[in-house]
Amino acid sequence: MTCDRSTPRTRLATAIAVASLAGTALAEHPSRAVADSRPLGHDVSSYQKQIDWRAARAKGARFVYVKATQSDSYRNPYFSAQYNGSRAAGLLHGAYHFAVPSASSGTRQARYFLRHGGHWKADGWTLPPALDIEHSPYDARQPCFGLDRTALVHWIRAFSDEVRRSTGRRPVIYTTARWWDRCTGGSRAFGATHPLWLADYSGAARLPGGWSYPTIRQYASHGPLPGDQDRWNGTLAQLRKFADG
């Protein structure tokens, strides 16, 4: 994922774990037997600017997450073109928010996100909203944004509750096991209800507390597709069902 600032961005690897999403869980565990056919995807931000979406689809892309917002003041200036362009090319698409918990409450940032691209609709093409929460890019000495574990869990819960109230879906949570365990104390409060997008470049990363498997894995920061490279941990039919809600 990316933090849009004037200084170099931070990138992480990802994967999404689908859990029981308030009545929208997948009917089966993603099969490990279909590894070679699992749909490819990617995630993009303003750094990718204008994208040739038909070329991305020709290279195998079947879904994409597009950065919409960051904190409670930044909007991706390319969001509309990227989001609508991906759909026109036949990709399932979703929006994500880069969290800055030190700036304002989870509720406020969720509302900002929802006003500027974060809404979900049951059209068969829209993936649930995603929350990107990871090491602070602003101060290496404060990876948890200066908040303690209890405060961060409350922040994530507030963001999630507002997204659920507005869209009917719980957000996907993008993170790394290292950050999650360090900054939330390995909280198990979200694993049963929130899909996990796990940063895992090695393919052997441990899971954050509360989740039993990842559903989307971001496995590289660059590759044939624009932006970060992702793979859905299941079949294309399961991915479509995930979008359907």
Side-chain angles (χ1 to χ4, degrees):
M1 294 295 195
T2 57
C3 171
D4 292 295
R5 308 185 301 149
S6 58
T7 54
R9 60 174 171 167
T10 52
R11 284 183 172 271
L12 293 173
T14 331
I16 296 176
V18 174
S20 62
L21 191 60
T24 62
L26 296 181
E28 56 186 295
H29 190 290
S31 172
R32 295 177 178 84
V34 293
D36 292 342
S37 63
R38 292 176 300 177
L40 291 171
H42 53 137
D43 55 89
V44 300
S45 71
S46 65
Y47 288 99
Q48 283 69 51
K49 299 183 179 179
Q50 302 296 331
I51 295 170
D52 185 340
W53 291 105
R54 294 190 182 280
R57 195 177 193 288
K59 292 177 181 178
R62 293 297 177 264
F63 69 96
V64 65
Y65 266 100
V66 179
K67 180 173 182 176
T69 53
Q70 179 170 316
S71 187
D72 57 9
S73 58
Y74 174 84
R75 298 166 60 186
N76 172 8
Y78 297 93
F79 176 77
S80 293
Q82 292 173 341
Y83 193 73
N84 296 331
S86 59
R87 168 64 184 88
L91 276 68
L92 280 74
H93 62 176
Y96 78 86
H97 173 78
F98 189 97
V100 185
S102 57
S104 57
S105 70
T107 300
R108 177 167 178 159
Q109 290 192 34
R111 289 175 178 169
Y112 185 76
F113 173 51
L114 292 163
R115 286 197 305 270
H116 301 294
H119 264 287
W120 173 80
K121 56 183 177 180
D123 59 358
W125 290 94
T126 306
L127 298 169
L131 172 65
D132 174 1
I133 190 157
E134 56 184 85
H135 285 76
S136 171
Y138 302 105
D139 185 349
R141 297 167 299 178
Q142 297 286 339
C144 306
F145 298 88
L147 277 67
D148 64 28
R149 293 171 171 180
T150 299
L152 273 170
V153 169
H154 286 166
W155 193 99
I156 296 166
R157 174 59 65 189
F159 184 97
S160 175
D161 286 347
E162 185 63 20
V163 169
R164 172 66 185 278
R165 185 193 67 77
S166 182
T167 69
R169 302 290 303 263
R170 288 289 184 188
V172 170
I173 292 178
Y174 169 97
T175 194
T176 67
R178 181 181 179 185
W179 185 90
W180 190 264
D181 290 349
R182 176 175 183 175
C183 295
T184 74
S187 173
R188 304 180 67 85
F190 302 93
T193 51
H194 295 67
L196 171 67
W197 192 353
L198 179 67
D200 177 13
Y201 284 11
S202 71
R206 59 189 173 81
L207 292 167
W211 283 280
S212 58
Y213 62 90
T215 301
I216 293 180
R217 174 183 165 221
Q218 186 192 51
Y219 60 87
S221 63
H222 61 277
L225 303 177
D228 299 314
Q229 312 295 290
D230 300 303
R231 188 181 288 275
W232 170 260
N233 189 18
T235 66
L236 182 57
Q238 290 174 320
L239 177 59
R240 289 172 174 158
K241 184 174 180 180
F242 183 59
D244 282 339

